Amino acid sequence: MDNSTRYAALWITRSPIASRMGDWRLAAAWRDHVLHTHDPDTRNGTSMASVASLSASLQQRVSAALAAAVPSATGADPLLRRSDRADFQANGVLGLAKRQKADPRVLAAEVAAALPTAGGAGADGDDTIAAVEVSGPGFLNITVSDAAITRNLAARAADDRLGVPLKEHPGTTVVDYAQPNVAKEMHVGHLRSSVIGDAIVKILEFGGEQVVRRHHIGDWGTQFGMLVQYLIEHPHELDHSEDEGDTGEASMSRLDRTYKASGALFRSDEAFKERARRRVVDLQAGDPETVALWQRFVDESKIYFDSVYRKLDIEIRDEDIVGESGYNDMLVETCDLLEKSGVAVWSNGALCVFFDDIKGKDGEPVPLIVRKTDGGFGYAATDLSAIRNRTGDLHADTLLYVVDVRQSLHFRMVFETARRAGWLTDEVTARHLPFGTLLGKDGKPFKTRAGESVKLEDLLDEAVQRATAVVREKGEKIGLTEEEITANGVQVGIGAVKYADLSTSLGRDYVFDLDRMVSLNGDTSVYVQYAYARTRSIFRKAGEGQRAVAHPELPLEAAERALGLHLDAFGDTLAEVAGVYEPHRLASYLFHLASLFTTFYEQCPVLTADGGPAQVENRLFLCDVTARTLRQGLWLLGIRAPERL
Ligand code: ARG
């Protein structure tokens, strides 16, 4: 079995709906979906030759030079960063001079003298640094050698992971994301949670972290009493009819119809209301008939979720879906523990946790309610039970929640409660990663013209449609087939939606503007995808015998150096992104990479380089490392890179 077939087989067994329904058509769709894309993922983890970036090597050298100049400065931070004066600038001398009451320029000169420079005395063949200069009040401007840049990239190219190191001490992180609600339409909030969560999961996993994915779907609560009772009284409501078909959309319309009809009855018919209430009790007690009917709602919803996630190109595995119902058996105990430890107290018939600093507008304290007056358990009891499971049973040391900013107070109260109860200890980090709202062009929360919330699927379809038009215009010129145009339209359209979401910092609201999102000029995914396709087109045009080979002996032009230094920073960028959970930093790294490549492409002819065959090889080599970095980076954001665009 070749790699892609093996990978497809894996997807078929993992595809929740395909395996459950044993439906070969769905399985075939998944396989097609996978075979038409090459995933850098298939290459992950096969090599272990991590490469220190030039920035990290310099950091070390400057630290050593600082310590040589001022022995008591061992461990002082050289404060090294990229600079437009030279390649790097180190500002650490300033603070050190102040502490030593020394003249910063004199001290900087001493540190500079202690740095090994190519060909300099004491360099011992270390030619990483080409030149050091003292500037301003005592900055060090450092230029690295062209040879060092090419050598570093060559080491990256030799590694399947582009030399990106794995975390030295990986931990276990639970990521709570992509949590739609059963029997309800998915909305734009679920889009953001899914897209951001998926990227965070991929980035953490690529760094070697053990990640447990949790889709905390809304599959429990009093509304299920009403739904199940209605289904008992209208047993054919969820049957699949010939003309409706088995699509996700058909599932959603069946669910929606049932939801509306049962809701109307619940509001108008007191007797039904009472039967629905009793049904909730049966459900919570685990009555088999009730649970079986509840399961039908869950299954039907999963068909719908699956169709949306397939469109979104996000993999949701059945075993990772542990919704609110998954913690039902823990709720009573969670409340007992809180009550016995005194963390929660009864107030007006409800079990509550109070906080000194959380008060309502009227100045009255706002409690976290874990058990309601009617004896029912709320959202908070479930989240607290989930924390017990995630820290106690899954042994997670980090808990992340990719959830709408409007739930910030909820998570603040839940985390604080869990700390008091001892379920979150000092060894565990719990973070809510709040995201902002998607806005319409009018600056108000994104709605249809009629003021209704926008169906996620409609929004995705429209993005694909717009993207296909853009792809077609270019594609016809380069002779793409209709099939390629359609496939690229999907990758560009879905990429555009994801990129727009991921390139804004999480907490900010942003305007959903499809025209801007599929534009070829601007901070968009298609701009980055286009740079990737350009690298591929160069390779298609390359003649026999024109290969990508690194030549560290060749001098580099400014555009080549800039590109090379940025490529070398891929691993450092990923480590930073993984440390702060901010995918927008990766998006901006990739956008910058695409622009540097565009400049390189304009200024440095590749196949017709006038420096001869070695220069052609070296430039092809730069194209290759660029292509791999772009593709890997996009993949970590959940975005595909078409070969021809
Ligand atoms: N289902 C919820 C909603 O649609 C989001 C769940 C978030 N996760 C959690 N552990 N509370 O708003």
Side-chain angles (χ1 to χ4, degrees), residues 220-242:
W220 209 238
T222 45
Q223 73 273 28
F224 288 99
M226 169 186 99
L227 287 167
V228 167
Q229 187 59 36
Y230 190 82
L231 194 58
I232 290 174
E233 297 172 20
H234 304 80
H236 298 298
E237 205 58 22
L238 290 184
D239 291 357
H240 291 208
S241 73
E242 275 297 319

Side-chain angles (χ1 to χ4, degrees), residues 171-179 210-218 319-327 330 334 379 382-403 410-411 414-415 418 423-425 427-432:
T172 301
T173 297
V174 175
V175 186
D176 185 316
Y177 71 108
Q179 323 96 328
Q210 168 107 26
V211 178
V212 179
R213 310 163 190 212
R214 279 293 174 264
H215 308 297
H216 196 88
I217 63 171
E319 71 262 31
D320 301 328
I321 304 180
V322 182
E324 295 178 24
S325 66
Y327 307 96
M330 298 174 75
T334 296
Y379 192 48
T382 311
D383 263 326
L384 287 164
S385 303
I387 290 182
R388 290 175 57 207
N389 169 255
R390 292 168 189 186
T391 56
D393 305 328
L394 302 174
H395 307 293
D397 33 54
T398 308
L399 306 182
L400 302 178
Y401 294 79
V402 188
V403 184
H410 166 75
F411 284 109
V414 165
F415 295 163
W423 301 325
L424 280 178
T425 59
E427 280 77 59
V428 184
T429 308
R431 288 234 348 231
H432 173 209

Side-chain angles (χ1 to χ4, degrees), residues 175-229:
V175 186
D176 185 316
Y177 71 108
Q179 323 96 328
N181 300 317
V182 163
K184 289 194 188 146
E185 192 95 48
M186 287 174 73
H187 55 70
V188 288
H190 299 126
L191 166 79
R192 296 215 65 190
S193 169
S194 308
V195 170
I196 296 164
D198 186 50
I200 288 177
V201 166
K202 286 187 165 120
I203 293 165
L204 293 181
E205 279 182 344
F206 188 69
E209 180 78 353
Q210 168 107 26
V211 178
V212 179
R213 310 163 190 212
R214 279 293 174 264
H215 308 297
H216 196 88
I217 63 171
D219 61 357
W220 209 238
T222 45
Q223 73 273 28
F224 288 99
M226 169 186 99
L227 287 167
V228 167
Q229 187 59 36

Side-chain angles (χ1 to χ4, degrees), residues 460-505:
L460 298 179
D461 289 342
E462 197 184 336
V464 168
Q465 217 176 358
R466 295 280 189 96
T468 308
V470 172
V471 167
R472 183 179 302 283
E473 219 188 286
K474 285 237 160 222
E476 278 170 353
K477 282 184 214 137
I478 58 167
L480 290 190
T481 64
E482 195 55 36
E483 217 182 356
E484 285 172 310
I485 291 177
T486 310
N488 288 356
V490 172
Q491 299 192 356
V492 171
I494 298 301
V497 171
K498 290 186 176 180
Y499 188 89
D501 208 86
L502 293 167
S503 58
T504 342
S505 62

Side-chain angles (χ1 to χ4, degrees), residues 403-414:
V403 184
D404 197 309
V405 65
R406 282 171 287 200
Q407 296 190 29
S408 293
L409 184 60
H410 166 75
F411 284 109
R412 219 177 109 197
M413 298 200 283
V414 165

